Amino acid sequence: NAGVTQTPKFQVLKTGQSMTLQCAQDMNHNSMYWYRQDPGMGLRLIYYSASEGTTDKGEVPNGYNVSRLNKREFSLRLESAAPSQTSVYFCASFWSGLYDGYTFGSGTRLTVV
Amino acid sequence: RKEVEQDPGPFNVPEGATVAFNCTYSNSASQSFFWYRQDCRKEPKLLMSVYSSGNEDGRFTAQLNRASQYISLLIRDSKLSDSATYLCVVSGGGADGLTFGKGTHLIIQP
């Protein structure tokens, strides 16, 4: 099915380890986003990419880096994981139009111990 | 800072009842409005967009009041399967993403 694919679905890291979360969409969307969701905090934007070749910081970018590899793929990297980065991470993509919603991936549950 | 405020609930409602949620948003320049549904441990999924004139999709009706900066969602004849968290979402129209409310938890009881 067309949509947004995230890998991995689950991950446990030790403090200080690094990892990359992968996201790919096959809907030819221009814009892609990384959110984190924590209990009681709602979804918060980490980074976004309005188009291929561009990336911008969102609300909570500290501790993360991103790469828009091509139009389809947008990865999120944790260089030195911290327990505060334990969260559920969602990738989303968006095409255009005022009344088009976002399509989300199924999420990555990350635990940093 | 752009904000979207919702009553977190939970709303405990008997099956077949009508339930309504509201949310308020702080950014008067907001252009697009949505309701998303999120099931436990799942990703958010678009339930419906909210148009200025109001819109209906089956048992669901959404309304937008720009003057008062609030959005509503009405669910009629509620089903057990409507149990979920409902997220109010607002966009400024730019590419910097959507602003999400923290969600309203709905529990439909048999």
Side-chain angles (χ1 to χ4, degrees):
Chain A
N1 291 332
V4 178
T5 303
Q6 283 183 242
T7 56
K9 292 189 182 300
F10 302 94
Q11 184 71 48
V12 178
L13 289 178
K14 294 182 179 179
T15 297
Q17 286 185 317
S18 62
M19 79 161 293
T20 299
L21 280 64
Q22 306 286 352
C23 176
Q25 53 91 8
D26 58 6
M27 297 172 287
N28 202 35
H29 287 176
N30 289 323
S31 302
M32 297 185 73
Y33 304 83
W34 277 105
Y35 289 89
R36 61 177 289 174
Q37 187 174 36
D38 303 292
M41 295 296 295
L43 281 150
R44 293 182 292 170
L45 182 64
I46 305 171
Y47 269 94
Y48 68 99
S49 171
S51 61
E52 186 179 353
T54 69
T55 61
D56 285 284
K57 295 179 180 179
E59 181 185 355
V60 289
N62 291 343
Y64 306 96
N65 285 302
V66 291
S67 295
R68 184 72 181 270
L69 304 170
N70 47 56
K71 192 171 186 178
R72 290 187 63 248
E73 299 173 286
F74 187 39
S75 62
L76 178 72
R77 183 161 178 82
L78 286 70
E79 290 292 349
S80 179
S84 61
Q85 294 178 304
T86 294
S87 187
V88 181
Y89 293 85
F90 288 105
C91 177
S93 70
F94 177 66
W95 178 50
S96 66
L98 289 177
Y99 299 111
D100 293 337
Y102 282 23
T103 301
F104 282 86
S106 58
T108 297
R109 295 187 175 274
L110 175 67
T111 301
V112 183
V113 297
Chain B
R1 184 175 182 277
K2 296 178 282 188
E3 291 188 350
V4 177
E5 301 288 341
Q6 293 182 252
D7 182 342
F11 284 49
N12 290 282
V13 174
E15 189 176 10
T18 296
V19 59
F21 310 135
N22 292 325
C23 87
T24 59
Y25 59 95
S26 63
N27 184 1
S28 60
S30 299
Q31 297 185 23
S32 303
F33 309 89
F34 309 93
W35 283 101
Y36 276 71
R37 170 190 169 128
Q38 187 172 24
D39 294 295
C40 187
R41 303 177 74 83
K42 299 287 189 181
E43 73 273 23
K45 293 185 177 179
L46 180 64
L47 178 66
M48 59 195 304
S49 301
V50 186
Y51 305 144
S52 295
S53 56
N55 50 299
E56 186 173 312
D57 183 1
R59 297 182 294 109
F60 299 84
T61 300
Q63 297 279 351
L64 168 64
N65 185 319
R66 285 187 182 271
S68 300
Q69 295 182 207
Y70 81 78
I71 307 154
S72 65
L73 177 68
L74 183 77
I75 306 175
R76 292 180 298 278
D77 188 24
S78 54
K79 312 292 184 189
L80 295 175
S81 57
D82 294 333
S83 297
T85 297
Y86 290 84
L87 306 174
C88 179
V89 185
V90 172
S91 171
D96 60 343
L98 304 174
T99 301
F100 287 81
K102 295 179 182 178
T104 296
H105 188 39
L106 174 65
I107 302 169
I108 305 298
Q109 297 175 328

